[in-house]
Amino acid sequence: MRRIGGTTIRSIGHVAKLQRIKDNDKNYMPAIDMLFELMHDNKAQIRHMRTAHELADKHEDVATASFLEVFIDEAEKRCWFLFEASRQGERSGH
């Protein structure tokens, strides 16, 4: 970020302020609900990373765009895995 003129995250409080996906502090959550929540959180993260990728492209920041492509690919794989796992859980009655 600093290399291209931006600022970096400065503290845990700053991280919390910028957080887009909220914490789930429930004491208990059924496994199938956890899978769905994780899948939806990953989908939201993919949307945010795609937006960042567009911005990197706009500013011809190839390094950041390339970095994001790897993360987007990994998150899309996680979404597929979580979707399939949640379908298995639904079929088995969990």
Side-chain angles (χ1 to χ4, degrees), residues 7-88:
T7 59
T8 57
I9 295 173
R10 294 172 294 283
S11 66
I12 297 297
H14 192 202
V15 170
K17 182 179 171 185
L18 298 172
Q19 180 177 352
R20 293 181 178 165
I21 296 174
K22 298 301 175 194
D23 295 331
N24 179 341
D25 294 326
K26 294 178 184 175
N27 289 330
Y28 174 79
M29 186 174 201
I32 191 74
D33 293 346
M34 282 190 253
L35 292 173
F36 279 118
E37 184 171 334
L38 286 168
M39 183 179 65
H40 291 293
D41 289 349
N42 273 272
K43 286 182 178 182
Q45 196 64 23
I46 290 167
R47 284 191 304 274
H48 297 309
M49 288 188 291
R50 287 188 184 283
T51 298
H53 189 282
E54 289 173 13
L55 186 61
D57 281 344
K58 178 180 171 185
H59 292 278
E60 298 179 357
D61 182 356
V62 177
T64 301
S66 179
F67 187 69
L68 285 164
E69 287 166 7
V70 173
F71 282 134
I72 291 167
D73 183 57
E74 291 171 351
E76 287 174 340
K77 288 176 188 173
R78 279 191 305 275
C79 279
W80 174 83
F81 175 80
L82 290 163
F83 173 74
E84 289 298 325
S86 65
R87 285 183 18 160
Q88 292 297 322

